[in-house]
Amino acid sequence: MASYYQRITVLLNPCAGKQNATPARQVADAFRAAGADVDIRLVEGPAIAREAADAVRRGSRVVVAAGGDGTVSGAAGALAGTDAALGVLPLGTLNHFAKDLGIPADLGEAARVIVAGRTRSVDVGEVNGRLFVNNASIGMYARLIAERAAVQRIGHGKWLAHGLATLRVFREYRRLRVAVRSGKGEGEKGERGKGEAGSKGDGGGKGIQIVRTPFVFVGNNEYQLSGLELGGRETLDSGRLHVCMAPGMSRGGVARLIIAAVFGDVCTVEGFESFTSAAVSLDAGVARLVASIDGEAVTIDNPLACRIRPRALRVLVP
């Protein structure tokens, strides 16, 4: 068990999840019931990565991200490439990374997974040197996240802010002109919407594809694009990025794409493209632009250099 030979530090984000955040005492009790005493530190925002790195320097071999995907991403950025393992307490709203790893949503069960100490090495993505565990994107979704944060700052709740931001982004619909370059490696594969020319699986080849698209999405491993498993990933160690975009797609086309994602197959929508690659670069022709990285809006230098880091992160799993 991890408690007998490893020092466990828990980084608890007090702002994660819904209004009634999980108190530190409840987290401590969950670990104590699982057989471990832990060092709990309240931390949020950019300080998460710094605290995770400090915990490793202090001798922690297990650093637990207690919060949502943003908290997990911040901690993972400091742990990737080290011998320390990441534990996850999924206390956020969506918890995509935890779900894809099969980590239970229940606090007590998740603590027992961490104390049991079984590790698995998984891939992480990287954009301009910044790590992501789920995805990075530019365009509509990044604008939506930035707008939502702005609305929340004036006092609205998260879901109302999300709705207002969605309306604003659709009302001011626009496409980015992006140069997409993907090195074509062994095992390259891809899918195009029914209206697109080009050979299946070329993924842009080794050349540059110039597109006008409402978004470019880059996932850490391949995402499910339709049905009940929408947004999930079957594996986190394939060593591939998943790139999705919609060259030329109209506002109505994006609406149809969303409907198809829930009720049908995204890949049947005219104009939709996706492919996998070990690396991809995106050049939007500006000095800096807003991107979404693991659900957080950030301003980032252009162009964006994205790559996969195979099995760079050790994670505690069931």
Side-chain angles (χ1 to χ4, degrees):
M1 293 174 63
S3 58
Y4 291 136
Y5 64 94
Q6 294 177 334
R7 182 175 177 182
I8 301 175
T9 299
V10 178
L11 306 181
L12 174 59
N13 185 347
C15 298
K18 301 176 182 178
Q19 290 183 342
N20 297 322
T22 304
R25 180 178 293 276
Q26 190 174 340
V27 173
D29 289 344
F31 275 100
R32 195 168 294 114
D37 288 320
V38 295
D39 176 18
I40 299 179
R41 296 172 180 255
L42 299 182
V43 60
E44 58 183 288
I48 292 169
R50 183 175 64 251
E51 287 287 344
D54 286 347
V56 174
R57 282 193 290 270
R58 291 192 304 269
S60 291
R61 307 320 302 157
V62 173
V63 178
V64 179
D69 286 314
T71 304
V72 172
S73 181
L79 299 183
T82 74
D83 291 333
L86 174 70
V88 180
L89 288 184
L91 304 180
T93 305
L94 298 176
N95 306 308
H96 291 299
F97 188 66
K99 290 176 182 175
D100 292 339
L101 287 171
I103 295 171
D106 178 78
L107 176 61
E109 293 180 12
R112 284 192 288 274
V113 166
I114 294 166
V115 174
R118 190 176 84 83
T119 61
R120 172 185 167 192
S121 294
V122 300
D123 303 340
V124 293
E126 187 179 279
V127 53
N128 289 8
R130 177 165 175 161
L131 181 144
F132 58 92
V133 294
N134 291 329
N135 55 72
S137 69
I138 57 175
M140 286 189 74
Y141 183 68
R143 287 181 55 219
L144 188 153
I145 295 299
E147 291 280 359
R148 184 182 71 189
V151 175
Q152 283 184 276
R153 282 195 294 270
I154 62 176
H156 292 297
K158 184 173 183 177
W159 291 110
L160 175 59
H162 189 86
L164 294 172
T166 300
L167 291 174
R168 187 173 299 174
V169 168
F170 263 88
R171 185 174 64 244
E172 300 172 2
Y173 182 83
R174 58 178 179 264
R175 293 187 288 264
L176 292 171
R177 184 181 186 275
V178 184
V180 181
R181 183 187 183 104
S182 170
K184 186 176 181 181
E186 183 179 353
E188 197 86 3
K189 63 178 181 176
E191 294 183 72
R192 294 177 180 270
K194 61 183 179 182
E196 285 299 316
S199 61
K200 182 177 179 180
D202 64 9
K206 292 187 178 179
I208 299 176
Q209 183 181 7
I210 308 297
V211 298
R212 294 188 64 85
T213 176
F215 62 85
V216 182
F217 170 99
V218 181
N220 170 26
N221 282 260
E222 191 166 2
Y223 275 71
Q224 299 295 310
L225 296 178
S226 59
L228 296 175
E229 300 302 319
L230 175 67
R233 290 165 288 183
E234 291 184 354
T235 182
L236 282 167
D237 56 9
S238 72
R240 311 293 286 175
L241 297 172
H242 190 195
V243 183
C244 302
M245 54 190 180
M249 188 170 285
S250 66
R251 188 195 332 247
V254 172
R256 290 191 291 274
L257 188 71
I258 294 170
I259 294 170
V262 179
F263 299 106
D265 185 350
V266 168
C267 296
T268 65
V269 177
E270 183 175 350
F272 177 79
E273 294 185 14
S274 78
F275 62 89
T276 68
S277 179
V280 65
S281 67
L282 310 173
D283 189 347
V286 295
R288 308 191 80 197
L289 74 166
V290 175
S292 168
I293 300 178
D294 283 338
E296 304 287 334
V298 299
T299 301
I300 193 167
D301 290 338
N302 184 72
L304 280 65
C306 307
R307 67 176 180 128
I308 198 80
R309 292 176 58 185
R311 303 191 180 191
L313 180 66
R314 299 177 69 238
V315 187
L316 291 158
V317 297

